[in-house]
């Protein structure tokens, strides 16, 4: 069905393709551990993916990013890598990855991997060698003897720096008799980019996976890559207090002027970009992309795009929609979209992320009744859209007991506080159908429990239902293929406190997205802010609960909306 419709669209558009493959891609984040378990151990794996690639094709996805699949003690579920060149046994083998690449190629779906350059696992051979100061590995990590303790006894940590996951960012190592730095868990020691051996090794990692055939990388936790060097006296400077909290073990206790987004970090990104570009030109293959994960101020994030002299990342993720929630009314949404547009360097590609494996689920943050409008935004705003596994069926947070909780960030907070920081509620297994474990796994116990709403919220039921989150997503994916959404002009306005409207226009075709962020019914005049709009607009796609029917006509200057309704309207003039 999708194929047929897209063929028709293609004929209507007639104008063929533009730009490079990634510039308007619909990127989907797979969290492999929770996607599909093919061997019944309760843990998702790679073998399950090829048979589901056609699913992505159905929903228009043309690029997939896999969260880390490498050998890891799983202290931070793969973001603690002990062998950067090998796939974790519980996920499969390199042949399983190659199968994914082969099958994906047939469907013209690009595959990206997660690149975690800031740290390794403490179980990594490199760290073990560094502990023993083996030749070539002496400075592979950030080691320091610490400050003298005026009271005598063990030396004190080199500085007051705090880890993102709480407590000192320095841990004493009894064998090397020195402190080592870790921006995340003590089991995730930071690699030292002042050591040319590290720089060379990590480029090698990139080249290795490129040679296996992947199309690019999502780069993890990039702001933390390089810290300030020691001063003339051989010491690290403390960071000033931020005043945000009295809790000295909390990351926000300090202003991170010495440990985030240093010039050396941006230079490294520019260098990696060159590594990827060189690889693509040497092998005469399509562009290999670099996407940055940077949770920082937008002004700083923009620097990852590069500058006049250097190409940087293809884009840094735009998390502005991922940080908002049900409080955000029309103006707030507009502001956050405007912010990205006003700060993006000339000629660069925009992108929209409304959720990922680190944030509460989109449907829970905005409320299930409002999430359809946010999905419309992520799918129809200019540039790249990013979908986190499960968003296309409106999966919600599932709150786990403390006993079932796995996220290290939450386990540290104890039974009373864990649900505030836990990322597990957004990581539960994909809800495929109404069978055991929602079709995710045959195991009696899955690594995280399946959300208890799976009997009513699952892909299979949504495929059968006349209206569902899935059906809406599928329709939006079809719209994405039109010239207006791929390349059309863009205008956005808040009609009032409650209603956000944006248009995408190409030639005679305009799509109008109308989102009511309020619970009450209201009537609006779209032409008050969009005077050039036709009065008669055809309903193209609606939020799941909308009473309106696609194909019918509504009036632009007298448009009635029910509470939380979201619509895509179309005019051809
Ligand atoms: C990134 C990942 C997160 C991980 C952290 C440390 O923020 O998205 O899941 O815990 O980096 O690697
Ligand atoms: Mg498995």
């Amino acid at each position: 069905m999708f194929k047929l419709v897209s063929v028709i669209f293609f004929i209507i558009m007639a104008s063929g393709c533009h730009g490079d493959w990634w510039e308007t891609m619909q990127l989907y984040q797979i969290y492999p551990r929770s996607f599909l378990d093919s061997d019944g151990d309760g843990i998702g794996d790679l073998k399950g993916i090829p048979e589901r690639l056609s699913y992505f094709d159905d929903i228009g996805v043309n690029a997939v990013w896999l969260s880390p699949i490498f050998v890891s003690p799983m202290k931070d579920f793969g973001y603690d890598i002990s062998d950067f060149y090998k796939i974790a046994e519980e996920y499969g083998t390199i042949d399983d990855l190659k199968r994914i690449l082969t099958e994906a190629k047939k469907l013209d779906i690009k595959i990206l991997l997660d690149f975690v350059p800031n740290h390794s696992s403490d179980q990594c051979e490199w760290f073990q060698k560094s502990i023993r100061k083996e030749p070539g590995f002496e400075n592979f990590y950030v080691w320091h003897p610490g400050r003298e303790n005026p009271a005598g006894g063990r030396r004190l940590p080199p500085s007051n720096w705090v880890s993102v996951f709480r407590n000192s960012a320095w841990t004493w190592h009894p064998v090397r008799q020195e402190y080592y730095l870790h921006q995340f868990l003590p089991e995730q020691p930071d690699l030292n980019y002042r050591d040319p051996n590290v720089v060379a090794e990590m480029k090698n990692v990139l080249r290795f996976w490129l040679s296996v055939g992947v199309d690019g990388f999502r780069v993890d936790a990039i702001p933390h890559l390089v810290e300030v060097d020691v001063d003339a006296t051989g010491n690290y400077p403390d960071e000033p207090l931020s005043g945000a909290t009295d809790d000295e073990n909390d990351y926000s206790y300090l202003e991170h002027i010495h440990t985030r987004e240093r010039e050396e970090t941006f230079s490294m990104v520019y260098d990696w970009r060159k590594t990827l570009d060189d690889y693509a030109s040497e092998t005469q293959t399509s562009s290999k992309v670099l996407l940055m994960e940077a949770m920082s101020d937008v002004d700083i994030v923009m620097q990852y795009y590069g500058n006049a002299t250097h190409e940087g990342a293809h884009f840094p993720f735009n998390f502005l929609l991922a940080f908002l929630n049900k409080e955000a009314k029309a103006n707030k949404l507009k502001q956050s979209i405007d912010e990205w547009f006003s700060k993006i360097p000339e000629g660069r590609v925009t992108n929209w992320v409304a959720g990922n494996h680190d944030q509460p689920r989109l449907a829970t943050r905005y409320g299930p009744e409002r999430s359809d409008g946010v999905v419309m935004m992520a799918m129809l705003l200019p540039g790249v859209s990013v979908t986190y596994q499960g968003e296309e069926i409106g999966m919600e947070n599932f709150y786990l007991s403390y006993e079932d909780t796995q996220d290290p960030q939450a386990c540290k907070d104890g039974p009373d506080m864990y649900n505030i920081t836990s990322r597990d509620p957004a990581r539960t297994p994909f809800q495929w159908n109404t069978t055991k474990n929602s079709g995710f796994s045959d195991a009696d116990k899955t690594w995280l429990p399946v959300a208890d709403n799976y009997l009513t919220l699952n892909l299979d039921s949504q495929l059968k239902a006349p209206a569902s989150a899935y059906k809406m997503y599928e329709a939006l994916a079809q719209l994405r293929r039109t010239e207006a959404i791929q390349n059309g002009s863009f205008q956005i306005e808040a009609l009032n406190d409650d209603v956000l409207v944006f248009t995408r226009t190409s030639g005679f075709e305009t799509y109008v997205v109308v989102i009511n962020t309020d619970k009450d019914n209201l009537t609006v005049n779209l032409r008050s802010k969009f005077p050039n709009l036709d009065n008669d607009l055809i309903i193209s796609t609606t939020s799941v609960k909308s009473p309106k029917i696609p194909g019918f006509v509504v009036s632009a200057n007298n448009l009635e909306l029910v509470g939380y309704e979201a619509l895509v309207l179309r005019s051809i003039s």
Side-chain angles (χ1 to χ4, degrees):
M1 173 65 184
F2 179 72
K3 287 248 165 57
L4 182 70
V5 177
S6 42
V7 166
I8 295 168
F9 264 108
F10 192 75
I11 293 165
I12 294 172
M13 291 159 32
S15 46
C17 47
H18 311 258
D20 206 349
W21 66 267
W22 56 273
E23 291 180 10
T24 52
M25 69 179 161
Q26 189 182 330
L27 175 65
Y28 187 99
Q29 178 189 359
I30 292 190
Y31 193 73
R33 207 175 177 77
S34 289
F35 184 66
L36 191 66
D37 171 21
S38 72
D39 61 0
D41 64 355
I43 297 170
D45 46 57
L46 300 186
K47 271 210 172 61
I49 295 175
E51 58 168 290
R52 302 293 159 115
L53 283 174
S54 59
Y55 171 61
F56 297 121
D57 199 35
D58 289 345
I59 54 176
V61 167
N62 57 351
V64 168
W65 141 44
L66 303 170
S67 274
I69 53 175
F70 314 104
V71 180
S72 162
M74 300 292 168
K75 295 284 177 201
D76 191 21
F77 295 101
Y79 286 99
D80 51 322
I81 299 172
S82 51
D83 188 339
F84 283 76
Y85 298 97
K86 263 217 180 96
I87 290 175
E89 233 172 89
E90 62 201 281
Y91 293 151
T93 64
I94 192 147
D95 288 332
D96 295 323
L97 176 64
K98 286 183 178 161
R99 234 195 102 214
I100 294 176
L101 293 169
T102 309
E103 295 305 311
K105 209 173 188 128
K106 290 182 193 160
L107 297 167
D108 208 12
I109 294 174
K110 306 284 191 209
I111 302 290
L112 316 187
L113 297 184
D114 217 308
F115 178 52
V116 187
N118 178 65
H119 45 268
S120 74
S121 157
D122 63 340
Q123 300 306 306
C124 184
E125 196 190 358
W126 306 337
F127 190 65
Q128 296 303 317
K129 287 183 171 168
S130 195
I131 290 170
R132 297 187 299 264
K133 298 195 187 171
E134 286 190 23
F137 292 88
E138 299 92 330
N139 300 316
F140 229 70
Y141 294 82
V142 184
W143 294 100
H144 193 277
R147 286 180 183 171
E148 205 173 317
N149 187 343
R154 174 167 343 131
R155 294 172 73 89
L156 299 172
S159 68
N160 70 346
W161 301 349
V162 177
S163 137
V164 176
F165 289 160
R166 289 187 69 77
N167 304 323
S168 174
W170 296 100
T171 290
W172 177 256
H173 202 285
V175 174
R176 181 149 162 166
Q177 292 282 306
E178 283 190 304
Y179 283 94
Y180 65 91
L181 178 74
H182 51 88
Q183 293 290 353
F184 295 88
L185 296 174
E187 293 88 349
Q188 293 169 299
D190 269 44
L191 288 157
N192 175 18
Y193 280 80
R194 298 187 188 281
D195 180 355
N197 292 327
V198 169
V199 173
E201 186 72 53
M202 294 313 276
K203 278 191 193 161
N204 210 38
V205 170
L206 289 173
R207 281 199 214 96
F208 175 79
W209 292 107
L210 288 170
S211 72
V212 171
V214 307
D215 299 290
F217 304 90
R218 172 263 191 190
V219 181
D220 180 72
I222 190 66
H224 308 277
L225 197 72
V226 187
E227 293 74 21
V228 68
D229 205 355
V230 285
D231 60 20
T233 64
N235 290 308
Y236 287 109
D238 280 343
E239 289 187 323
L241 307 198
S242 69
T245 168
D246 292 337
D247 179 354
E248 59 181 28
N249 291 318
D250 192 292
Y251 187 64
S252 65
Y253 183 65
L254 300 175
E255 222 178 289
H256 303 288
I257 57 170
H258 298 311
T259 55
R260 289 182 71 108
E261 336 254 18
R262 300 188 50 85
E263 223 173 279
E264 297 92 327
T265 298
F266 293 107
S267 304
M268 197 65 252
V269 171
Y270 306 156
D271 240 29
W272 291 334
R273 171 67 187 260
K274 194 168 163 344
T275 304
L276 266 64
D277 285 352
D278 287 350
Y279 181 87
S281 74
E282 280 158 26
T283 55
Q284 305 212 343
T285 47
S286 55
S287 304
K288 305 294 176 267
V289 299
L290 209 49
L291 318 179
M292 295 294 137
E293 185 223 14
M295 306 254 178
S296 308
D297 286 348
V298 178
D299 298 279
I300 295 173
V301 170
M302 290 302 172
Q303 294 180 40
Y304 290 104
Y305 275 113
N307 54 36
T309 43
H310 291 100
E311 285 292 321
H314 291 74
F315 56 80
F317 284 122
N318 170 0
F319 291 118
L320 292 173
L321 290 177
F323 296 153
L324 294 178
N325 55 34
K326 28 173 90 103
E327 308 290 313
K329 305 289 291 257
N331 272 314
K332 184 82 201 163
L333 292 172
K334 178 177 177 328
Q335 261 169 32
S336 96
I337 290 159
D338 285 346
E339 184 175 6
W340 196 265
F341 277 111
S342 66
K343 292 180 173 166
I344 190 169
E346 178 83 34
R348 300 292 174 160
V349 169
T350 45
N351 74 93
W352 311 97
V353 180
N356 64 22
H357 66 294
D358 293 328
Q359 306 298 328
R361 280 206 170 268
L362 184 172
T364 304
R365 243 180 315 114
Y366 286 94
E369 58 292 317
R370 274 195 57 185
S371 61
D372 293 351
V374 179
V375 173
M376 284 178 185
M377 289 164 68
M379 292 288 279
L380 303 180
L381 286 168
V384 170
S385 78
V386 187
T387 303
Y388 171 52
Q389 174 175 310
E391 276 172 6
E392 75 280 22
I393 57 168
M395 275 179 67
E396 294 167 22
N397 272 5
F398 178 55
Y399 296 97
L400 281 66
S401 69
Y402 185 61
E403 288 65 41
D404 282 336
T405 293
Q406 301 283 341
D407 181 8
Q409 179 172 266
C411 293
K412 279 224 294 288
D413 291 348
D416 297 329
M417 304 286 281
Y418 74 100
N419 251 337
I420 300 171
T421 50
S422 182
R423 297 171 294 180
D424 289 339
R427 297 177 176 181
T428 59
F430 190 85
Q431 291 160 223
W432 294 101
N433 55 41
T434 57
T435 65
K436 182 179 179 180
N437 294 321
S438 200
F440 162 69
S441 168
D442 290 339
D444 289 331
K445 194 170 164 51
T446 54
W447 83 279
L448 284 182
V450 174
D452 60 5
N453 65 356
Y454 79 92
L455 287 175
T456 49
L457 198 163
N458 62 76
L459 173 64
D460 202 34
S461 309
Q462 295 194 12
L463 278 164
K464 290 172 187 149
S468 64
Y470 173 84
K471 291 248 168 98
M472 182 192 79
Y473 185 91
E474 192 189 32
L476 295 173
Q478 286 170 13
L479 292 181
R480 269 190 83 74
R481 305 281 170 95
T482 62
E483 180 60 20
I485 304 300
Q486 291 278 306
N487 292 296
S489 62
F490 169 67
Q491 188 190 341
I492 185 163
E493 304 287 350
L495 288 192
N496 52 40
D497 288 348
D498 301 317
V499 181
L500 182 73
V501 179
F502 68 88
T503 55
R504 302 296 313 277
T505 302
S506 170
F508 297 118
E509 184 164 58
T510 294
Y511 286 95
V512 189
V513 179
V514 184
I515 300 168
N516 180 5
T517 62
D518 193 67
K519 63 181 188 326
D520 293 328
N521 299 356
L522 40 88
T523 301
V524 291
N525 175 5
L526 300 180
R527 286 158 122 191
S528 64
K529 294 265 172 84
F530 297 85
N532 297 331
L533 270 187
D534 290 344
N535 192 37
D536 283 352
L537 299 172
I538 306 160
I539 300 168
S540 168
T541 304
T542 72
S543 48
V544 179
K545 296 226 166 101
S546 163
K548 297 193 180 57
I549 300 169
F552 278 59
V553 171
V554 290
S555 161
N557 55 23
N558 190 25
L559 178 65
E560 290 174 29
L561 298 167
V562 299
Y564 299 126
E565 188 168 18
L567 303 169
V568 185
L569 309 171
R570 176 163 169 254
S571 88
I572 303 180
S573 55

